[in-house]
Amino acid sequence: MAYVIVVLCAAALAGWAVHVRARRFPGSLALAVLPRHAEDRRPLAQARANVRSLEQIAHSEESAARTEVARQEQKREEDLRAAARRVASLEKPGRGKRLDALGELTLYEHVLVKRTTNGAVCTLQLAERRVRIDSGDSAYYLYVLEADGTPERTNYPRRTGEGEEAKGFTEDRVRDFADAVQRAVAKENTFRATLPEQLKQAQHDRELLEQDTEAVDRARKRHAEIQARNKDNPRLAEARAELEAARLEWRRHTGRMPPP
């Protein structure tokens, strides 16, 4: 049964191939398919192949040029969006990236956020802050002080218990967090000191990007040049003329006009 199916499929494919060949070389089935008429078919087949080859080259060139235009346009849009994000991040720095957290405090690049057990939220700007740690019998106390010395205190109960039963915080962990806050404060002080100049530079860079269309213009110009060159390509025009002559010659001999 499988053998019969294979034979039928092969016959169907062969029949389709003959049908296609007959359409491309109309007139008689023998002229279209028999090897002894290969030389009769050659001029028309060669003329078609020449046109297809030149058209494919032209299509590939134009396709590559269009792709380059799209790539340059996309790159420019991405650069403009990145520049806009840079300006926005300097105009409104917000919290910045999350750096660490301990108990009620979460440390970000630009702020320290405190969420108390009663749901209250306090946001402390890092610039000009100082950090100090005290310890008592039952807790460690982390103070985040404003420039005038006003403190914001956070309590960290001392570690008790072992393993899964352990609760509270070790002194090393509290001190590590305090050091992280102090480093973030130092970076924030530097950031704030240079912020006006950074913002000015970022705005300038964005303006330059908005004005710079050179790469896009160059890609578009090349695409237009390739289109114009292919439209007036003398080799392609000559090949098409030769194909038309071959079609007319075929019709003169067979009385049937073949497709291009």
Side-chain angles (χ1 to χ4, degrees):
M1 182 63 180
Y3 175 76
V4 173
I5 292 175
V6 171
V7 171
L8 290 175
C9 289
L13 290 174
W16 175 252
V18 169
H19 171 72
V20 171
R21 180 65 69 88
R23 287 186 68 252
R24 291 173 59 79
F25 299 96
S28 73
L29 191 58
L31 189 60
V33 301
L34 292 183
R36 69 171 181 267
H37 291 293
E39 287 302 316
D40 297 321
R41 297 189 297 269
R42 190 181 305 280
L44 179 57
Q46 186 60 56
R48 280 175 174 153
N50 291 340
V51 170
R52 299 295 184 269
S53 176
L54 291 171
E55 287 178 340
Q56 182 59 44
I57 292 172
H59 175 76
S60 296
E61 289 179 339
E62 291 185 25
S63 178
R66 282 196 303 272
T67 299
E68 179 62 12
V69 170
R71 190 182 74 83
Q72 291 296 341
E73 289 175 341
Q74 181 179 358
K75 181 179 182 301
R76 183 169 185 271
E77 288 300 317
E78 290 173 351
D79 290 345
L80 287 172
R81 286 195 294 271
R85 287 195 299 269
R86 172 63 175 164
V87 171
S89 71
L90 294 172
E91 290 177 336
K92 296 180 179 180
R95 291 180 175 180
K97 184 172 64 175
R98 184 182 184 276
L99 302 177
D100 201 353
L102 189 68
E104 297 176 347
L105 296 179
T106 302
L107 176 64
Y108 296 87
E109 285 182 298
H110 305 298
V111 299
L112 192 62
V113 176
K114 183 172 183 178
R115 289 182 172 82
T116 61
T117 53
N118 62 11
V121 177
C122 176
T123 299
L124 309 175
Q125 298 295 326
L126 290 179
E128 309 266 325
R129 298 278 178 170
R130 290 181 293 113
V131 180
R132 179 167 59 84
I133 293 178
D134 283 343
S135 60
D137 293 337
S138 61
Y140 304 103
Y141 307 103
L142 188 147
Y143 294 89
V144 181
L145 300 95
E146 295 184 20
D148 63 3
T150 302
E152 176 65 37
R153 190 182 79 174
T154 303
N155 299 348
Y156 292 100
R158 285 177 178 271
R159 184 73 169 262
T160 60
E162 297 294 337
E164 295 182 357
E165 301 298 323
K167 296 181 180 180
F169 303 86
T170 65
E171 181 177 359
D172 285 345
R173 180 66 183 100
V174 175
R175 291 192 179 279
D176 286 345
F177 184 72
D179 290 343
V181 174
Q182 195 63 65
R183 287 193 299 270
V185 167
K187 289 183 179 180
E188 180 66 3
N189 289 339
T190 301
F191 172 75
R192 293 291 173 177
T194 61
L195 180 57
E197 186 60 32
Q198 289 188 65
L199 178 57
K200 181 179 178 181
Q201 183 63 51
Q203 291 170 333
H204 178 66
D205 292 343
R206 182 181 63 182
E207 290 171 0
L208 289 180
L209 280 172
E210 289 172 344
Q211 297 167 11
D212 183 11
T213 61
E214 181 179 354
V216 172
D217 292 343
R218 185 168 55 247
R220 289 173 177 169
K221 180 181 178 182
R222 174 165 172 73
H223 181 225
E225 289 173 346
I226 289 173
Q227 283 184 310
R229 186 184 68 202
N230 288 334
K231 181 180 179 181
D232 300 326
N233 186 346
R235 290 181 59 199
L236 183 55
E238 181 180 351
R240 285 171 174 164
E242 290 175 355
L243 173 57
E244 185 64 16
R247 293 173 67 212
L248 292 172
E249 182 66 14
W250 186 273
R251 186 179 67 178
R252 189 174 70 81
H253 284 292
T254 65
R256 300 284 300 280
M257 188 68 164

